[in-house]
Amino acid sequence: MALAQCWAKDDDGKEYICMAISRSLSKTERQYASFNSKLFYEVVRLLSTLQQLQQQRPPGYILENVSPLSHRPGTKIRDEVFPYIASVIGRPVSFEAAQAGAYAHRLRAYWSNLFQNHQFRSVMSKVVRPEGRIVSSILCKGWHPRPVIRTDRSPHYVVNVVGEPLRALPTIMATQGSRAFRRARMGTVVRNQDDEDAEEESREVNLDEKARAMGYSASELRMADGLNDVELASILGLAMDRRAMELLMAVAEASRKGLPRS
């Protein structure tokens, strides 16, 4: 029987221990196991081990996953899987990378012991996306985004408004050539053409554009030995947005210095 323990803080700052026992899995645990959960249990095991070895100076961590708010109420992921995850590692905070200035929507859940959830929510209530950031500025020369045909709605941060420039891509896919963008839709880009009668040329954003959207440099990514653009796009699609990470770390540093409780 493998026993994993993790220490987390509730909104009052009190620490509690949560456990996941891998023998005699419950129905929900078995369902979660089908969602490629091996890494999840390995992370819990690693954190548990480090926390027990370094009790005087426990390691700081930030864990990220797609926010449960991204899933409709009534789905197994939102109603069963995420409550189970929360029972193991505590409740997360959710926020949109677009609010921090990203050029793509990425609604994510974050778990961390570097700050308390209410502190983060207090900061986010005051964060306003920087002005002037539009998707056309990160596209390769000769391409432009499609018009906004639907105004953003909660739980996403509202940046795209019908009649205004596209400010955030709908998402960043880990799979280059994803079926989600094989047909013309908002989020694909169109080549500039002088001939109005010419057939429209459309594509999904490429690696360079994805990297810029998330605050990274594709040229630096390409310095990794032995990885092609398809593999790098997969890594990038699973990565944390740089601007979101900077915001998280800023809150963590403020918390370390004594962020007010309100």
Side-chain angles (χ1 to χ4, degrees):
M1 178 174 66
L3 177 66
Q5 297 178 326
C6 63
W7 279 260
K9 290 184 178 180
D10 61 20
D11 281 352
D12 295 324
K14 297 178 181 178
E15 292 190 342
Y16 63 90
I17 298 175
C18 47
M19 302 180 180
I21 301 176
S22 63
R23 188 175 67 183
S24 302
L25 295 179
S26 68
K27 179 180 178 182
T28 299
E29 288 172 312
R30 287 196 301 273
Q31 289 173 338
Y32 183 62
S34 68
F35 284 85
N36 299 319
S37 62
K38 183 177 180 180
L39 178 60
F40 170 75
Y41 288 111
E42 284 298 305
V43 169
V44 172
R45 182 189 64 79
L46 177 61
L47 285 177
S48 171
T49 300
L50 291 175
Q51 288 170 333
Q52 293 178 62
L53 292 174
Q54 301 173 206
Q55 294 187 25
Q56 298 303 314
R57 298 191 66 180
Y61 64 84
I62 296 177
L63 306 179
E64 181 231 41
N65 204 346
V66 176
S67 170
L69 300 178
S70 297
H71 301 279
R72 296 188 306 275
T75 59
K76 287 184 177 180
I77 291 180
R78 180 161 176 170
D79 293 352
E80 297 181 28
V81 174
F82 265 96
Y84 170 68
I85 294 174
S87 74
V88 177
I89 57 176
R91 290 171 293 179
V93 290
S94 292
F95 87 97
E96 257 267 30
Q99 186 175 358
Y103 292 87
H105 282 298
R106 290 179 80 80
L107 179 58
R108 296 293 184 264
Y110 297 90
W111 292 262
S112 180
N113 63 347
L114 300 178
F115 49 78
Q116 296 177 29
N117 288 358
H118 74 274
Q119 293 176 321
F120 188 79
R121 287 192 290 266
S122 177
V123 170
M124 290 308 298
S125 68
K126 301 176 178 64
V127 172
V128 178
R129 177 184 171 88
E131 290 287 340
R133 296 193 175 184
I134 56 177
V135 170
S136 59
S137 67
I138 66 167
L139 300 182
C140 294
K141 185 177 180 179
W143 295 85
H144 65 271
R146 292 186 180 278
V148 178
I149 60 173
R150 183 174 56 256
T151 298
D152 291 335
R153 295 182 297 178
S154 178
H156 292 287
Y157 186 72
V158 178
V159 291
N160 295 324
V161 178
V162 172
E164 298 182 7
L166 185 71
R167 296 185 176 92
L169 296 164
T171 187
I172 295 291
M173 302 297 293
T175 303
Q176 196 70 28
S178 167
R179 287 185 297 177
F181 293 109
R182 288 180 185 174
R183 58 184 177 85
R185 56 172 293 182
M186 202 169 94
T188 57
V189 296
V190 182
R191 183 182 290 279
N192 300 337
Q193 294 178 329
D194 296 327
D195 185 357
E196 295 182 358
D197 296 326
E199 184 177 352
E200 179 183 82
E201 184 178 349
S202 174
R203 62 170 174 80
E204 70 172 305
V205 291
N206 58 31
L207 178 65
D208 295 81
E209 294 158 342
K210 287 181 178 181
R212 295 186 200 114
M214 294 180 61
Y216 298 109
S217 165
S219 60
E220 292 179 357
L221 292 174
R222 291 190 178 101
M223 293 174 66
D225 292 336
L227 296 178
N228 58 39
D229 278 16
V230 173
E231 293 167 323
L232 290 173
S234 178
I235 293 171
L236 188 63
L238 298 174
M240 295 185 188
D241 181 89
R242 181 179 66 81
R243 298 175 186 88
M245 284 299 301
E246 289 175 348
L247 182 57
L248 286 163
M249 296 309 298
V251 176
E253 179 63 11
S255 178
R256 186 183 68 83
K257 293 181 177 179
L259 187 71
R261 294 185 63 84
S262 61

